[in-house]
Amino acid sequence: MECLKRNHAARNVTDEACAADITRRMASSASDIRGDAPLVAACASDLKSHCAEVTPGEGKLWACLEKYESVLSPSCAAKLSERSQWAGEDWRANPKIAAACAAEASSLCADVKPGRGRVVECLRAAADAEVRSIHWFPYDRVGVVNADP
């Protein structure tokens, strides 16, 4: 699976069904890293020393490792960095974005094909559009009346 994940991240997996399965597995592992054997193996001592009290699931172990990123073993830091890079390709593989943006992604970006950072870009564009649509109060102290930024 590790080889498939690397090839998927490098955009070398052309079979859509295979790519979807890899993404699903990566998203599942992001939520609970215990499903990612190479990451758990690389970070075993770090998980034991820094995250033993953390309840697994919902990206909590991932967040714990990120919290202690500056003191992680080199093998764990390298594997976590690799996984973070992969998570940048698909919002579902990033536990923070998945938890915070699932509803918005479903409603604002339903027509966007997941993967390759497309949904994250859609969410950014939607956020930018919302910010641009805010109108200033017509009697603000700066003297700008009904201005669009």
Side-chain angles (χ1 to χ4, degrees), residues 25-132:
R25 289 172 189 258
M26 290 169 70
S28 176
S29 295
S31 177
D32 187 350
I33 66 168
R34 295 175 300 171
D36 187 338
L39 178 62
V40 171
C43 297
S45 63
D46 298 286
L47 287 165
K48 186 176 183 179
S49 60
H50 303 299
C51 307
E53 303 299 318
V54 175
T55 304
E58 300 173 354
K60 292 176 187 171
L61 288 174
W62 183 290
C64 179
L65 290 173
E66 285 184 328
K67 178 180 176 183
Y68 293 100
E69 189 172 17
S70 64
V71 295
L72 294 176
S73 65
S75 63
C76 181
K79 192 61 72 177
L80 189 64
S81 174
E82 179 183 65
R83 295 310 194 253
S84 294
Q85 185 177 13
W86 292 354
E89 288 291 315
D90 193 313
W91 69 279
R92 298 167 296 181
N94 183 318
K96 291 177 189 173
I97 296 175
C101 303
E104 289 85 354
S106 294
S107 63
L108 299 172
C109 305
D111 59 336
V112 176
K113 183 178 178 182
R116 313 285 192 238
R118 290 183 287 254
V119 174
V120 173
E121 285 304 313
C122 172
L123 290 169
R124 283 188 184 130
D128 289 346
E130 185 174 326
V131 168
R132 284 192 301 272

